Amino acid sequence: MKIATIKDVARVAGVSPATVSRVVTNKGNTTEEIKKRVLEAMEELKYVPNINAQSLSSNRSRTICFSIARNPKEILGNSFFSDVLCGISDAAKLQDYNLQFALFHTIEEQMEKCVKLYRQKQVDGFIFTSIRSSDKDILLKGLKAKRIPFVMIGSSLSHNALSIHNDNVRDSYISTKYMLDKGYRRILFLTPSLKQDVIYDRIHGYQRAIEESGLNLSSEYIVYCGDEEDEVIHALEQVEKEGISFDSIITMESIMSLSALKYCQAKGKRVPEDVGILCFNNAPYLDKVSPSISCIDLNPILLGNEAFKLLLDLIEQPSNSFVNKSITLPSQIIERQST
């Protein structure tokens, strides 16, 4: 079966190929009557516009890239990142943009590949997240120097960049204050030992709430461990072995809260009577377990949505690439049975 061309559409609609092109790209002036004839001809001929040709003529790929440089195991099982990805994807579809997802092991690999993608005109810009503090200068300054459009998900106070993020100090403070208001006093703060601003900010928020309450918890109540079940359980066993008494646990990742719950149940600790549990990031499984687990919802889908809108503005108005703009999103506690 012959594939219809723009000339075929023009012949059926009784217009020039240039007019068809204006209708397809929605550029230039055409009357509603002519536009209707062209669209009907396209429908009749089952004509599909050549996206690659349009991209070449507009110098745009209409594709953006969501990129992370981290161990894939830490990302692919994390509902926060999948929700951010869904948020970006939903917003991109509305603007007829395609979305690539690029996962790298190192910042050097990420920098090299992203620059290559942009120079080859395979993507129009990037959304980055989960950047280690020590890597921000390398990535952000490098991209700025090459005038590559990007938006960062995460705090960027010391970098001249467009960013969107949660207030991690505020969110951690609110979470800890919530547990204190529930009557818990010996609150373990269970966190991965990643060198990222988000970790430092959440620890700061936790400490501020504890200090304001007049409690004198030692630094031993901040416990670093991986997010795998055996790592969480081993960390909690070590805490008890060292004689650190706790009546509640805040975990930095939702998946870690399941392991904390399993540990408590294995040790005969009632949740929430003996130990309360709250985690960062909402996830579909948190209300499927018993008891269901309270969390602070960071609105990751909205985060992805707004990140795409920021990037699209930047792509369409490149002069904004040197504007330092930071957007902070709201969050809220979702109370369930574990507290």
Side-chain angles (χ1 to χ4, degrees):
M1 182 179 179
K2 181 185 175 185
I3 298 175
T5 67
I6 196 167
K7 290 182 179 179
D8 296 327
V9 175
R11 176 177 49 78
V12 172
V15 299
S16 70
T19 299
V20 176
S21 179
R22 283 197 295 272
V23 172
V24 169
T25 59
N26 200 28
K27 292 180 179 178
N29 296 319
T30 53
T31 66
E32 286 302 314
E33 180 189 350
I34 289 177
K35 185 176 181 180
K36 182 181 178 184
R37 278 161 45 193
V38 170
L39 292 175
E40 287 176 348
M42 290 170 62
E43 179 67 23
E44 178 185 336
L45 297 171
K46 302 290 190 292
Y47 172 71
V48 179
N50 188 327
I51 299 300
N52 289 331
Q54 291 179 44
S55 296
L56 288 171
S57 64
S58 66
N59 207 30
R60 295 263 184 89
S61 67
R62 296 199 72 81
T63 300
I64 63 105
C65 180
F66 178 47
S67 177
I68 306 175
R70 231 169 101 179
N71 186 331
K73 287 177 65 179
E74 297 172 1
I75 299 298
L76 299 179
N78 191 317
S79 63
F80 176 80
F81 293 108
S82 60
D83 284 346
V84 169
L85 185 60
C86 285
I88 297 171
S89 178
D90 290 345
K93 285 178 186 174
L94 291 176
Q95 298 298 326
D96 198 26
Y97 262 74
N98 300 310
L99 173 63
Q100 283 189 20
F101 177 47
L103 188 57
F104 301 103
H105 288 275
T106 67
I107 194 71
E108 291 78 15
E109 181 190 15
Q110 184 181 40
M111 182 75 178
E112 178 188 346
K113 297 292 186 182
C114 288
V115 170
K116 186 176 180 180
L117 283 171
Y118 184 74
R119 285 180 172 168
Q120 292 177 344
K121 301 188 185 304
Q122 294 185 50
V123 299
D124 297 332
F126 298 88
I127 297 173
F128 298 104
T129 191
S130 196
I131 308 172
R132 297 178 188 274
S133 304
S134 57
D135 292 336
K136 282 185 179 178
D137 274 351
I138 298 172
L139 183 65
L140 304 190
K141 287 184 178 179
L143 294 173
K144 296 285 281 188
K146 292 175 174 58
R147 304 185 74 85
I148 296 176
F150 71 90
V151 167
M152 187 174 74
I153 295 178
S155 177
S156 184
L157 296 177
S158 59
H159 295 84
N160 188 25
L162 288 174
S163 66
I164 184 163
H165 56 92
N166 303 104
D167 185 334
N168 288 296
V169 176
R170 175 203 65 194
D171 294 342
S172 188
Y173 175 86
I174 289 171
S175 300
T176 309
K177 187 76 166 55
Y178 167 81
M179 298 299 275
L180 291 166
D181 291 343
K182 282 287 184 177
Y184 298 109
R185 290 295 176 268
R186 301 181 307 283
I187 306 171
L188 276 185
F189 195 78
L190 215 57
T191 175
S193 55
L194 298 175
K195 294 180 179 179
Q196 294 177 324
D197 290 343
V198 59
I199 304 289
Y200 304 137
D201 287 348
R202 288 180 180 175
I203 289 174
H204 178 63
Y206 163 80
Q207 290 173 326
R208 197 178 94 195
I210 294 296
E211 289 169 5
E212 286 184 10
S213 72
L215 295 174
N216 186 27
L217 294 183
S218 69
S219 60
E220 293 173 320
Y221 278 84
I222 299 172
V223 179
Y224 297 93
C225 69
D227 59 9
E228 296 290 336
E229 181 180 299
D230 59 337
E231 294 173 304
V232 172
I233 289 176
H234 175 73
L236 292 173
E237 286 174 343
Q238 284 297 115
V239 165
E240 293 214 276
K241 190 178 292 185
E242 292 168 13
I244 301 169
S245 173
F246 61 91
D247 62 8
S248 50
I249 303 169
I250 296 176
T251 70
M252 282 273 288
E253 304 286 356
S254 52
I255 193 69
M256 296 172 75
S257 67
L258 297 184
S259 303
L261 176 61
K262 184 173 182 178
Y263 175 83
C264 290
Q265 290 174 334
K267 296 293 183 179
K269 299 176 185 290
R270 298 170 302 161
V271 176
E273 294 86 353
D274 301 326
V275 178
I277 299 175
L278 179 138
C279 66
F280 278 81
N281 308 332
N282 195 12
Y285 47 75
L286 294 179
D287 63 355
K288 303 295 191 295
V289 296
S290 182
S292 55
I293 299 174
S294 300
C295 68
I296 182 159
D297 187 2
L298 304 177
N299 292 307
I301 292 178
L302 179 61
L303 197 63
N305 262 251
E306 295 301 318
F308 175 81
K309 291 175 186 176
L310 266 182
L311 180 59
L312 186 60
D313 287 344
L314 186 57
I315 291 169
E316 295 182 346
Q317 300 180 51
S319 59
N320 289 340
S321 61
F322 290 97
V323 174
N324 190 350
K325 182 178 180 182
S326 182
I327 298 175
T328 305
L329 293 187
S331 59
Q332 61 277 333
I333 295 285
I334 297 179
E335 185 172 43
R336 297 192 177 106
Q337 296 168 340
S338 68
T339 55

